Amino acid sequence: MIVPYTPGGYTDYMARTVGQKLSEVLGVPIIFESRPGANSVIGADAIAKAAPDGYTFGTVIAAHAVNASLNPKLPYDTLKQFTYVSLMSRAPLIMVANTVLPANNLGEFIALAKAKPTGLNFASSGIGAAAHLTMELFKSRTGTNIVHVPYRGTAPALTDLIGGQVQVMFDTIGALMPHVRAGTIKALAITANQRMDAATGVPVMAEGGVSDFVTGTWAGLIAPAGVPKPIVERISGEVAKIVREPAMRERLASDGYEAVGNTPAEFEQFMREEIARWAKVIADAGIKMEE
């Protein structure tokens, strides 16, 4: 199981949580291998070039779809060189702020950002990450101008947010809510269609005046193109059973993740839609890799 990120994040969490259960079901050990770098391109390239024998899989997130538009020099074709096995989960994002920022809800933050059109900065886990593009979409929808400060992952971005070097950021609920509860940052809103138990008391974007703002990241299981169909269908079916099992649903929900588990055809269609959706955000915001 190739994971295109360092251990500890959402991608690694989903790979290991589902992969360990899959190992038990199949009766074979699964080795987890981190191949971080280049906004997941290094790991994805390793998956694309692996033998299509059903022994190499990978876990990818929204950045995999984003790269199709963001990176003009991808070493692979995002749709043609992979088998899309199953979408495992979706993850709405949470918008958080430094505790000294003079805005305690989304409406106050939007007003502050409009009053200081060049005075606020936002952190992200990297150029092209869902956290970055979600803020670009937010800026477009609210008519605000917040300066992007990209980091090499969520952890350093969060460190500077807490320290006050940046004022706001998006990331997964599971990554940020523990810090909200600890009082080191404050939550403004989540990008879901309804409030979530994993983010108790945090309103959705629509409650703060930004309607129809439901977005985030996701985690899916992929393989190289050409893996025999019976193998793909077997693994896809087992993954769907694993994530839909009540205890697993509850476990994922407690961290702010929604269990999915769909078919290869459904996942491939979802990928096509994601590529088109993020391509528009990238074009509208004029985002370049060398930003």
Side-chain angles (χ1 to χ4, degrees):
M1 179 77 78
I2 294 174
V3 181
Y5 293 93
T6 54
Y10 172 52
T11 322
D12 185 64
Y13 171 92
M14 286 303 306
R16 292 178 185 275
T17 300
V18 176
Q20 286 164 3
K21 289 288 186 181
L22 189 61
S23 175
E24 295 170 10
V25 171
L26 299 177
V28 295
I30 294 179
I31 298 168
F32 300 92
E33 183 178 336
S34 292
R35 294 278 193 94
N39 199 32
S40 82
V41 172
I42 292 174
D45 191 42
I47 299 165
K49 291 177 171 55
D53 54 10
Y55 286 93
T56 299
F57 290 81
T59 298
V60 294
I61 56 174
H64 184 63
V66 168
N67 286 332
S69 299
L70 181 68
N71 189 337
K73 297 180 180 179
L74 281 184
Y76 51 78
D77 186 300
T78 306
L79 289 173
K80 294 180 179 178
Q81 287 184 256
F82 298 96
T83 298
Y84 290 93
V85 182
S86 184
L87 179 63
M88 297 185 287
S89 67
R90 291 191 183 94
L93 303 185
I94 184 170
M95 187 182 197
V96 296
N98 176 272
T99 55
V100 301
L101 189 74
N104 294 311
N105 58 56
L106 193 61
E108 291 178 357
F109 174 75
I110 293 170
L112 180 65
K114 288 182 175 179
K116 295 184 175 183
T118 59
L120 297 180
N121 298 328
F122 77 93
S124 83
S125 52
I127 295 170
H132 171 205
L133 297 188
T134 297
M135 183 62 85
E136 295 294 350
L137 186 60
F138 175 83
K139 287 162 57 178
S140 174
R141 290 285 306 278
T142 58
T144 52
N145 182 31
I146 309 162
V147 180
H148 183 209
V149 182
Y151 289 80
R152 292 180 179 272
T154 300
L158 179 60
T159 297
D160 273 9
L161 178 73
I162 293 171
Q165 282 77 24
V166 289
Q167 287 77 49
V168 68
M169 69 180 285
F170 278 103
D171 214 292
T172 60
I173 292 171
L176 298 183
M177 268 308 289
H179 301 277
V180 173
R181 296 189 188 102
T184 56
I185 55 177
K186 56 187 175 185
L188 300 179
I190 57 173
T191 64
N193 56 14
Q194 60 185 14
R195 292 196 182 200
M196 301 176 66
D197 291 342
T200 304
V202 183
V204 299
M205 283 280 173
E207 292 178 78
V210 187
S211 61
D212 194 28
F213 197 97
V214 179
T215 186
T217 188
W218 47 264
L221 187 69
I222 66 173
V227 173
K229 190 174 180 179
I231 294 176
V232 175
E233 291 181 344
R234 168 81 194 281
I235 300 299
S236 180
E238 296 296 352
V239 167
K241 289 178 187 175
I242 289 168
V243 299
R244 291 175 183 173
E245 196 269 328
M248 180 63 80
R249 276 184 180 274
E250 187 174 336
R251 178 179 176 181
L252 294 176
S254 69
D255 284 318
Y257 311 137
E258 174 196 354
V260 182
N262 61 9
T263 67
E266 288 169 337
F267 189 17
E268 183 173 333
Q269 179 58 32
F270 173 81
M271 271 299 299
R272 292 179 186 277
E273 293 167 357
E274 279 287 282
I275 289 171
R277 182 163 75 99
W278 291 120
K280 185 178 187 307
V281 175
I282 291 166
D284 289 349
I287 299 168
K288 305 291 183 185
M289 284 201 67
E290 55 277 357
E291 179 180 1

